[in-house]
């Protein structure tokens, strides 16, 4: 059964996107990799550098508007694209944004703390909080709630975009619709490769393509946790999403596929496979990837192809989730220099 976007009447939605994002065939990489490679350009969703979070925020901010909120609170890594996009959306809607920056990536240089999404958020005038832990989702959400209580006491109306499990995965609804949009563009494919972090994009996309009648495997490339942990998380997220939508989950546990071969050395850090993938895409197709999500996703595609999980000749969909401002914060981490020459 094909999902009609109008089948979600009970969920308020802030219309932050004005048109579908492009679907492009990557001609040179298709030839070199011997697959039929397509890329869904969700780096072009809009809201100042775009990215997948725009789709998720349509539902979170729809709920915030319904509650007449004047302030948005969100938590994420220091270079969080979600936080930056939330600050942009808040400005667009006349709200104040409060961004909590978690210390998830130890050992980064001063550029990481001043460039990229940090710089953009400062331009936008977002209020900033710090949180010293990077693997404490419940604590990070609790800190937002404490700040929200202060705002309520001052007569403000805050809305929290939560991080941890146990909350309604409203953001995943954006990728249920995003997958329906893709299905109308591509018709079908043999395999899809998407990033898998919080689980909202991966879980919503998998739910959406199954509801659109596409049965091809969807591989979630781990950007934060190992494959086993991520599979457990996706099981929870997609079950909660089905409850939210008041429908049966259109797939079983065997459809939740995760791959962590490009995860090392961990969240927010770039190993050799990620640097190679980022450079390969840029020099072969002129498409820039970010080091935290989309470059790891392409590295995952290359890894799955090398392992024979994805076969030569298959039609493969790569989801580009944006995050490009982080490139500038990772300039020293990536280490690309003008003297290298073209490969």
């Amino acid at each position: 059964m094909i999902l009609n976007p109008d089948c979600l009447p009970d969920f308020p939605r802030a219309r932050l996107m004005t048109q579908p994002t492009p679907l492009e065939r990557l001609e040179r990489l298709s030839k070199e990799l011997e697959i039929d490679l397509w890329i869904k350009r969700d780096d072009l969703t809009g809201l100042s550098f775009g990215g997948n979070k725009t789709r998720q925020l349509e539902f979170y901010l729809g709920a915030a508007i319904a509650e007449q909120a004047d302030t948005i609170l969100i938590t994420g890594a220091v270079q969080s694209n979600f936080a930056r996009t939330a600050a942009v959306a808040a400005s667009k809607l006349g709200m104040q944004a409060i961004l909590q920056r978690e210390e998830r990536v130890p050992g980064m240089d001063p550029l990481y703390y001043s460039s990229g999404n940090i710089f953009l958020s400062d331009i936008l005038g977002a209020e900033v909080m710090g949180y010293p832990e990077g693997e404490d989702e419940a604590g990070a959400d609790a800190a937002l709630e404490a700040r929200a209580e202060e705002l309520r006491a001052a007569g403000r109306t805050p809305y929290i975009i939560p991080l941890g499990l146990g909350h309604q995965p409203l953001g995943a609804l954006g990728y249920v619709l995003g997958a329906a949009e893709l299905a109308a563009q591509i018709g079908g494919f043999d395999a899809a490769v998407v990033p898998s972090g919080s689980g909202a994009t991966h879980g919503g996309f998998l739910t959406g393509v199954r509801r659109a009648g596409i049965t091809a495997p969807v591989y979630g490339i781990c950007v934060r946790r190992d494959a086993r942990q991520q599979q457990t998380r996706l099981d929870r997220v997609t079950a909660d999403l089905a409850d939210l939508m008041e429908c049966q989950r259109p797939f079983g546990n065997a459809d939740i596929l995760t791959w962590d071969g490009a995860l090392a050395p961990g969240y927010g850090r770039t190993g050799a496979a990620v640097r190679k993938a980022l450079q390969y895409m840029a020099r072969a197709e002129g498409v820039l990837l970010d080091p935290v999500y989309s470059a790891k996703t392409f590295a995952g595609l290359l890894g799955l192809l090398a392992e024979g999980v994805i076969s030569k000749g298959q039609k493969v969909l790569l989801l580009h989730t944006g995050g490009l401002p982080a490139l500038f914060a990772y300039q020293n981490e990536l280490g690309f220099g003008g003297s290298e020459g073209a490969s």
Side-chain angles (χ1 to χ4, degrees), residues 261-283:
L263 178 60
Y267 174 82
R269 302 307 296 258
T270 59
V274 171
R275 289 192 292 272
K276 178 181 177 182
L278 193 154
Q279 187 177 62
Y280 187 23
M281 177 67 77
R283 296 186 179 188

Side-chain angles (χ1 to χ4, degrees), residues 238-326:
T238 53
D240 288 348
L241 176 59
D243 289 343
L244 177 63
M245 297 175 65
E246 299 181 350
C247 65
Q248 186 174 359
R249 193 172 71 173
F251 54 86
N253 286 344
D255 276 7
I256 301 175
L257 305 174
T258 54
W259 189 86
D260 60 8
L263 178 60
Y267 174 82
R269 302 307 296 258
T270 59
V274 171
R275 289 192 292 272
K276 178 181 177 182
L278 193 154
Q279 187 177 62
Y280 187 23
M281 177 67 77
R283 296 186 179 188
E285 295 286 353
V287 174
L288 296 175
L289 304 175
D290 86 290
V292 183
Y293 290 87
S294 56
K296 284 191 176 179
T297 306
F298 184 44
L301 187 157
L302 296 174
L304 291 167
L305 187 60
E307 292 175 4
V309 177
I310 292 175
S311 302
K312 301 289 186 181
Q314 286 192 318
K315 185 176 183 179
V316 182
L317 183 282
L318 175 68
L319 178 63
H320 189 337
T321 50
L324 297 182

Side-chain angles (χ1 to χ4, degrees), residues 16 25 33 55 73 76 107 125 137 144 150-151 171 198 205 259 264 267 281 287 290 314:
L16 302 174
R25 187 174 190 271
L33 299 175
R55 292 189 189 272
L73 297 93
E137 291 185 343
L144 290 186
E150 295 174 353
L151 294 170
S198 72
F205 184 89
W259 189 86
Y267 174 82
M281 177 67 77
V287 174
D290 86 290
Q314 286 192 318

Side-chain angles (χ1 to χ4, degrees), residues 8 96 121 125 186 272 320:
L8 301 172
Q96 175 65 32
S121 298
I186 199 171
H320 189 337

Side-chain angles (χ1 to χ4, degrees), residues 46-67:
L47 286 187
S48 299
F49 292 96
N52 61 323
K53 305 305 185 184
T54 301
R55 292 189 189 272
Q56 297 184 29
L57 284 166
E58 289 198 330
F59 287 92
Y60 284 120
L61 291 179
I65 292 169
E67 295 180 15

